[in-house]
Amino acid sequence: MRKIKGACGIWGNCTIPQEKIEIFKQQIKKQLLEKIEQRCNDFFVIFTNQADMLFMDVALELQKEYQITIRILIPFFKWMDTLSENERQKREKYLCLIDEPCCFCADKAYHDIMSICSCSLVDYCDNLLIICDGQPNDATVGMITLAEFLDYKTEYIRL
């Protein structure tokens, strides 16, 4: 797969408190509608944490009304096997609901897998939407730094 002009990368490496899920979903929906209005219809999301599942819920809902493409990047080949049964089932459901095949950032787990994921995401996209709650974790700071270095248009959804 190659970089798609205008494609938006979704970085959501954070856990959202249960009481803030609906607020985050509304913020994600608002941001995605703005992207769609700007003719950004291609989205790449890395499966890393709970925030990417919120993105998927919203994006799949919007896909019913708008012509958008959702592509999933998985951190490494056996990553799904590292998840709890419940989480694996949710993510497998998402994989079944999209038309595009998923891609893997790496063939196996590495100690710096999130850095590898960051590089993979910018290989496919030319702008980013970063979902974070409060203080970004180290991996998210690394993603922000990489985006700034590459002069990517970066937008944020924060509480």
Coordinates of all heavy atoms in Angstrom, one line a residue, residues 47 56 60 72 89-100:
F47 N -4.8 0.2 15.4 CA -5.4 -0.5 16.6 C -4.4 -0.5 17.7 O -3.4 -1.2 17.6 CB -5.8 -1.9 16.2 CG -7.2 -2.1 15.7 CD1 -8.0 -1.0 15.4 CD2 -7.6 -3.3 15.4 CE1 -9.2 -1.2 14.9 CE2 -8.9 -3.5 14.8 CZ -9.7 -2.4 14.6
M56 N -13.6 3.9 15.5 CA -14.2 2.9 14.6 C -15.8 3.0 14.8 O -16.5 2.9 13.7 CB -13.7 1.5 14.9 CG -12.3 1.3 14.4 SD -12.0 1.4 12.7 CE -13.1 0.1 12.0
L60 N -17.7 4.0 11.4 CA -18.6 3.0 10.8 C -20.0 3.6 10.7 O -20.7 3.3 9.7 CB -18.6 1.7 11.5 CG -17.3 0.9 11.3 CD1 -17.2 -0.2 12.3 CD2 -17.2 0.4 9.9
I72 N -7.2 -0.2 8.5 CA -6.7 -0.5 9.8 C -5.3 -1.0 9.7 O -4.9 -1.8 8.9 CB -7.6 -1.6 10.5 CG1 -9.0 -1.1 10.7 CG2 -7.0 -2.1 11.8 CD1 -10.0 -2.1 11.2
Q89 N -12.5 -10.0 20.2 CA -13.8 -10.1 19.5 C -14.3 -8.8 19.0 O -14.8 -8.7 17.8 CB -14.9 -10.8 20.4 CG -14.6 -12.2 20.7 CD -15.6 -12.8 21.6 OE1 -16.5 -12.1 22.2 NE2 -15.6 -14.1 21.8
K90 N -14.2 -7.7 19.8 CA -14.6 -6.4 19.3 C -13.8 -6.0 18.1 O -14.3 -5.5 17.1 CB -14.4 -5.4 20.4 CG -15.4 -5.4 21.5 CD -15.0 -4.4 22.5 CE -15.9 -4.5 23.8 NZ -15.5 -3.5 24.8
R91 N -12.5 -6.2 18.1 CA -11.6 -5.8 17.0 C -11.8 -6.6 15.8 O -11.8 -6.2 14.7 CB -10.2 -5.7 17.4 CG -10.0 -4.6 18.4 CD -8.6 -4.6 19.0 NE -8.4 -3.6 20.1 CZ -8.3 -2.3 19.9 NH1 -8.2 -1.8 18.7 NH2 -8.2 -1.5 20.9
E92 N -12.1 -7.9 16.0 CA -12.4 -8.8 14.8 C -13.7 -8.4 14.2 O -13.8 -8.4 12.9 CB -12.4 -10.3 15.3 CG -11.1 -10.8 15.6 CD -11.1 -12.2 16.2 OE1 -12.2 -12.7 16.6 OE2 -10.0 -12.8 16.3
K93 N -14.6 -7.9 15.0 CA -15.9 -7.4 14.4 C -15.6 -6.2 13.5 O -16.2 -6.1 12.4 CB -16.9 -7.0 15.6 CG -18.2 -6.4 15.1 CD -19.0 -5.9 16.2 CE -18.5 -4.5 16.5 NZ -19.2 -3.6 17.4
Y94 N -14.8 -5.3 14.0 CA -14.5 -4.1 13.2 C -13.8 -4.6 11.8 O -14.1 -4.0 10.8 CB -13.5 -3.2 13.9 CG -14.1 -2.5 15.1 CD1 -13.4 -2.4 16.3 CD2 -15.4 -1.9 15.0 CE1 -14.0 -1.8 17.4 CE2 -15.9 -1.2 16.1 CZ -15.2 -1.2 17.3 OH -15.7 -0.6 18.4
L95 N -12.9 -5.5 11.9 CA -12.2 -6.0 10.7 C -13.2 -6.6 9.7 O -13.0 -6.4 8.5 CB -11.1 -7.0 11.1 CG -9.9 -6.5 11.8 CD1 -9.0 -7.6 12.3 CD2 -9.1 -5.6 10.9
C96 N -14.2 -7.2 10.2 CA -15.2 -7.8 9.3 C -16.1 -6.7 8.7 O -16.8 -7.0 7.6 CB -16.1 -8.8 10.1 SG -15.2 -10.3 10.5
L97 N -16.2 -5.6 9.3 CA -17.1 -4.5 8.8 C -16.5 -3.5 7.8 O -17.2 -2.7 7.3 CB -17.7 -3.7 10.0 CG -18.6 -4.5 10.9 CD1 -18.9 -3.6 12.2 CD2 -19.9 -4.9 10.2
I98 N -15.2 -3.7 7.6 CA -14.6 -2.8 6.6 C -14.2 -3.6 5.3 O -14.0 -4.8 5.4 CB -13.3 -2.1 7.2 CG1 -12.3 -3.1 7.5 CG2 -13.7 -1.2 8.4 CD1 -10.9 -2.5 7.8
D99 N -14.2 -2.8 4.2 CA -13.9 -3.5 2.9 C -12.4 -3.6 2.7 O -12.0 -4.5 1.9 CB -14.5 -2.6 1.8 CG -16.0 -2.6 1.9 OD1 -16.6 -3.5 2.4 OD2 -16.6 -1.6 1.5
E100 N -11.6 -2.7 3.2 CA -10.2 -2.8 3.0 C -9.5 -3.8 3.8 O -9.8 -4.0 5.0 CB -9.6 -1.4 3.2 CG -10.2 -0.3 2.4 CD -9.9 -0.4 0.9 OE1 -8.7 -0.8 0.6 OE2 -10.8 -0.1 0.1

